[in-house]
Amino acid sequence: MHEPVREQVAAASRHLAAEGLVLGTAGNLSARSGEHLAITPTGAQLAELTAEQVVVLDLDGCVVEGDYEPTSERDLHLGVYRRYEAGAVVHTHSAMATALSCVLEELPCVHYQLLALGGTVRTAPYATFGTPELAERVLDALEGRSAALMANHGAITHGADMAAAVEASLLLEWGCGVYWRAAALGNPRALDERQRAAVVEAAVERSYGSLRER
Ligand SMILES: [Zn+2]
């Protein structure tokens, strides 16, 4: 039971490790399947994670399947599912996002692709990992967004499914890299409200981002 969703979490962990977004045991991922969620165990090498190592919880956070202790950020993941319509959650300590989280109050919307994350990405104030305080601050920072930076800690994204959450995580890291480079050259311009509205309009009109027949 729950084998497909456990494999999804393991495969996404290995993928993000291959992309360099998670190093060693740092980071955690989960995906929802009905009234349960599959989540990475604490202390696991994410680059080599197997479906058998993934833990299954009910929505109260009780372990229903698996031999390992779930991630210390279990409450953060549960909070995202409770508060937002999420199908999957990805938390990383990826280099660019983490560096910017040490400096910025928010990542300005410097590129229109960041609108896929909700535009400007907020930085949740710092709190110790695994605490209810951290979960609360991060959940607030995610309001109306599918991504947030976590001050002096890392980043979090969520999506309708694991593919979307992983995609958001990669997009955020890319956006942080763009901002980083731009800020090294000068004062980056952010898209204003009118420019953002025009992007949304054009995207709807042209079904941007999806393959379509001619
Ligand atoms: Zn963390």
Side-chain angles (χ1 to χ4, degrees):
M1 218 183 141
H2 304 299
E3 186 59 25
V5 69
R6 290 171 89 180
E7 177 51 38
Q8 250 183 47
V9 169
S13 300
R14 297 191 300 265
H15 177 53
L16 285 179
E19 292 281 350
L21 267 69
V22 298
L23 273 183
T25 63
N28 35 75
L29 290 79
S30 69
R32 185 170 176 170
S33 173
E35 294 308 298
H36 294 95
L37 59 112
I39 192 162
T40 49
T42 188
Q45 289 293 329
L46 295 166
E48 295 154 17
L49 198 70
T50 62
E52 295 69 45
Q53 293 174 310
V54 174
V55 188
V56 180
L57 308 177
D58 62 23
L59 294 178
D60 294 322
C62 299
V63 177
V64 300
E65 214 173 283
D67 300 326
Y68 298 96
E69 196 59 37
T71 169
S72 48
E73 296 295 3
R74 153 176 48 188
D75 291 344
L76 173 58
H77 286 254
L78 285 163
V80 176
Y81 294 110
R82 289 195 192 114
R83 187 144 146 197
Y84 301 106
E85 286 288 301
V89 177
V90 171
H91 164 55
T92 77
H93 299 173
S94 60
M96 285 294 176
T98 304
L100 267 51
S101 81
C102 300
V103 178
L104 298 181
E105 298 301 319
E106 57 178 36
L107 171 66
C109 188
V110 288
H111 192 283
Y112 72 86
Q113 274 193 280
L114 295 177
L115 288 169
L117 304 175
T120 305
V121 175
R122 301 184 194 97
T123 303
Y126 181 81
T128 310
F129 78 93
T131 58
E133 291 75 27
L134 178 64
E136 199 180 312
R137 290 169 185 181
V138 172
L139 291 176
D140 286 348
L142 281 171
E143 191 70 52
R145 305 282 188 277
S146 57
L149 299 177
M150 297 159 61
N152 302 73
H153 182 156
I156 187 166
T157 60
H158 65 83
D161 55 24
M162 187 47 99
V166 165
E167 185 74 14
S169 198
L170 292 166
L171 175 60
L172 177 61
E173 185 67 359
W174 173 83
C176 287
V178 168
Y179 182 87
W180 167 287
R181 290 172 178 87
L185 297 173
N187 192 14
R189 288 185 301 272
L191 298 180
D192 63 30
E193 219 160 283
R194 190 182 49 81
Q195 289 168 323
R196 292 185 215 189
V199 170
V200 173
E201 202 176 303
V204 169
E205 209 169 276
R206 296 173 204 165
S207 318
Y208 179 79
S210 46
L211 270 179
R212 52 196 187 278
E213 291 178 8
R214 290 195 292 148

